[in-house]
Amino acid sequence: MWYETSNATKNYAVEDGKLKIWPQRDAEGKFFNRTIDTDGKFYQTYGYFEIEAKLPVGKGTWPAFWLFNHINERRPEMDVMEAYAGGAAPWGFEKDGVAHPQAYAPTVWKGDKEGQLVGTRQFDTGLDLSADFHRYAVKWEPNKQTYYFDGKEVLVVNVTMGDPMYLMLDLWYGSASGTPDDSTPQGKSNSFEVKYVRAWKFN
């Protein structure tokens, strides 16, 4: 993230054709945000954007896939997937004392002023999103965005979003997921796993 310094603790890898980002305490014993983005490298306006991913478990985990830009004071943002395993049901559920993700949210922020929320939905999949891979996508048109879960339409927002945006994948902590603690599994076996990130342009 452009306003954060990097953390030297290694909590990501590409293995078996997948990107893995996992919860890990740093040298000070703190869970820290890990962000991988295309800022300064790849931007696109309109198109179809999709990841196929399996989400981590644990209180505090907040994995996300989003499109974003920071243009002077403006912050246009399209959150394709944000999940909060440690949040109240249906965000997540407990299994053997560990929080598992079940719902997620697509959300759109116009970004012309602080707090300009223009569309969101808490979508209850009825599934354990850490148990298997699922597809999270948005079709971004000049005056409309359509969000999908495994090819099923889950949210339509009719708003103009015309700025080029870069792509972001991250594993942060907090928000509706709460504060991570000793019940939050650390290590590679509890990864936010991503098979692919794809961006298509319209013909």
Side-chain angles (χ1 to χ4, degrees):
M1 202 62 172
W2 85 96
Y3 59 79
E4 289 188 333
T5 57
S6 186
N7 192 300
T9 304
K10 186 68 180 291
N11 71 325
Y12 62 94
V14 175
E15 295 180 349
D16 306 319
K18 303 179 190 71
L19 169 66
K20 299 179 180 181
I21 312 172
W22 58 87
Q24 191 70 52
R25 293 184 187 271
D26 63 15
E28 297 179 354
K30 297 177 182 177
F31 288 95
F32 60 93
N33 295 338
R34 176 64 72 195
T35 306
I36 298 176
D37 63 51
T38 66
D39 187 14
K41 301 176 178 67
F42 174 83
Y43 302 82
Q44 187 167 309
T45 307
Y46 312 132
Y48 190 86
F49 303 82
E50 182 178 82
I51 63 166
E52 186 173 355
K54 183 165 66 172
L55 308 187
V57 300
K59 183 181 177 183
T61 55
W62 178 14
F65 169 52
W66 41 316
L67 284 66
F68 184 70
N69 207 341
H70 47 103
I71 307 165
N72 299 318
E73 299 303 312
R74 298 176 54 246
R75 302 288 184 267
E77 176 178 337
M78 297 163 57
D79 303 323
V80 182
M81 181 280 294
E82 290 184 286
Y84 310 94
W91 283 124
F93 64 94
E94 282 209 2
K95 180 179 179 182
D96 299 325
V98 177
H100 286 241
Q102 177 174 312
Y104 79 96
T107 304
V108 184
W109 301 87
K110 183 73 172 173
D112 292 342
K113 59 189 178 199
E114 186 68 26
Q116 195 177 10
L117 175 66
V118 292
T120 188
R121 180 185 179 186
Q122 181 185 26
F123 178 63
D124 183 2
T125 68
L127 303 169
D128 181 351
L129 298 175
S130 72
D132 208 346
F133 286 87
H134 296 281
R135 289 176 290 122
Y136 305 86
V138 62
K139 182 181 181 182
W140 174 17
E141 300 172 271
N143 301 303
K144 177 181 176 182
Q145 297 87 46
T146 307
Y147 293 82
Y148 300 91
F149 175 73
D150 285 340
K152 174 185 176 181
E153 181 181 299
V154 297
L155 176 68
V156 176
V157 180
N158 295 298
V159 63
T160 300
M161 302 284 281
D163 294 298
M165 297 198 198
Y166 59 86
L167 310 182
M168 299 184 65
L169 279 171
D170 62 60
L171 179 57
W172 291 1
Y173 301 90
S175 189
S177 195
T179 302
D181 57 25
D182 289 342
S183 72
T184 307
Q186 298 181 66
K188 194 182 297 183
S189 62
N190 184 32
S191 288
F192 176 21
E193 293 190 51
V194 181
K195 282 188 179 180
Y196 63 76
V197 180
R198 292 175 180 164
W200 288 267
K201 289 184 177 180
F202 297 132
N203 288 329

